[in-house]
Amino acid sequence: RGRWFATSLEYYFYNFLGDHLSLALTFLAPLYWIYPNANVLVALQPAALGLAGIPVYWWAREKTGPAPALALALAYLLYTPMVYVIAIDFHDIVLAAPLLSFAAFYTLKGNAWRFAVFAFPVLLVKEEVGLFVAMLGLYWMLGQRRWRLGAGTVVMGMAWVLVATKLVIPSFNPDGQYYYLGRYASLGASHEELALNLFLKPSQTLASMITTEKVRYVLHILTPLGFLPLFGHS
């Protein structure tokens, strides 16, 4: 209706861009022109997560064969946290799952062009996705020895996060700040302080990371998989 990123959520009294830089939501508008119903999102969420399983199968098939690969793909689709995501309300970050999955697959394959097709658009999903893209850039550098591509990807991912959280989102927020940075207030009040204290105050950093709640969360994620992700490699 031309009211870009207006929201009716009761705890927002400002444009949604003042909370998250989720530009990818714009591409959902045409779906509402066709069928203006929230069921569009209900169907879209499992579809996105399902598509993310395709590269999982492709990579596993190359390493283990068709039958074990199918079992691994099914394990991904039936993974308890995955089912839980589908069972609750819609979250825009789910749109990043298939794009990141394909980007990671083509990173492992060393196909730079196809990696770019998926890695660059995924930045539009949410501001923190730039961190994931930066991690893929590190793999291009260290795993594929593609130093220029990897360094450029790291810079692009981190630059996206900084521009989004320091400039764009605060400009739409009535308090002129990025709300979620406050969750790390114990490490610093600004991006710069936070980045410095991560290295200058390691004990304080570990104390904020290793809490009962966070350890329990990690255990809930890894236990159903037998902690195998910790030992995974390409």
Side-chain angles (χ1 to χ4, degrees):
R1 299 179 178 179
R3 296 165 55 228
W4 295 97
F5 293 96
T7 176
S8 59
L9 295 175
E10 62 181 9
Y11 50 86
Y12 287 109
F13 298 97
Y14 48 85
N15 190 289
F16 185 69
L17 293 180
D19 194 64
H20 290 297
L21 189 60
S22 301
L23 300 177
L25 293 175
T26 306
F27 299 98
L28 301 185
L31 298 177
Y32 272 73
W33 299 340
I34 300 171
Y35 186 64
N37 192 289
N39 288 330
V40 170
L41 300 179
V42 174
L44 183 64
Q45 189 155 258
L49 292 176
L51 285 174
I54 295 176
V56 174
Y57 172 76
W58 286 349
W59 186 250
R61 183 180 59 186
E62 292 185 14
K63 299 297 180 179
T64 65
L70 182 60
L72 288 170
L74 288 174
Y76 160 79
L77 294 173
L78 298 175
Y79 183 42
T80 303
M82 193 75 67
V83 176
Y84 179 75
V85 168
I86 297 174
I88 61 176
D89 55 354
F90 176 79
H91 289 282
D92 46 9
I93 192 63
V94 170
L95 301 176
L99 295 172
L100 285 174
S101 184
F102 278 94
F105 174 75
Y106 288 118
T107 297
L108 293 171
K109 296 288 288 183
N111 191 318
W113 286 107
R114 292 188 179 183
F115 161 76
V117 167
F118 294 99
F120 297 159
V122 76
L123 294 173
L124 300 178
V125 174
K126 216 165 188 177
E127 66 277 1
E128 68 262 31
V129 176
L131 298 175
F132 293 95
V133 173
M135 292 301 102
L136 290 176
L138 285 178
Y139 188 88
W140 277 106
M141 295 172 63
L142 304 178
Q144 299 289 8
R145 296 296 190 271
R146 302 281 291 274
W147 303 104
R148 185 178 300 179
L149 171 63
T153 302
V154 170
V155 170
M156 180 189 67
M158 295 306 299
W160 179 264
V161 173
L162 290 175
V163 170
T165 58
K166 287 181 68 69
L167 299 176
V168 180
I169 295 175
S171 70
F172 285 95
N173 190 295
D175 294 327
Q177 62 182 4
Y178 179 55
Y179 169 79
Y180 299 96
L181 192 65
R183 294 182 175 180
Y184 308 96
S186 61
L187 296 175
S190 67
H191 294 73
E192 294 78 13
E193 287 183 13
L194 178 60
L196 284 174
N197 290 334
L198 284 175
F199 302 100
L200 298 180
K201 299 180 179 180
S203 59
Q204 191 172 339
T205 300
L206 288 175
S208 66
M209 293 174 58
I210 305 177
T211 64
T212 301
E213 182 180 3
K214 292 176 181 177
V215 170
R216 186 185 297 117
Y217 172 78
V218 172
L219 290 176
H220 284 168
I221 293 292
L222 294 177
T223 301
L225 299 175
F227 294 87
L228 290 177
L230 298 180
F231 306 97
H233 59 83
S234 60

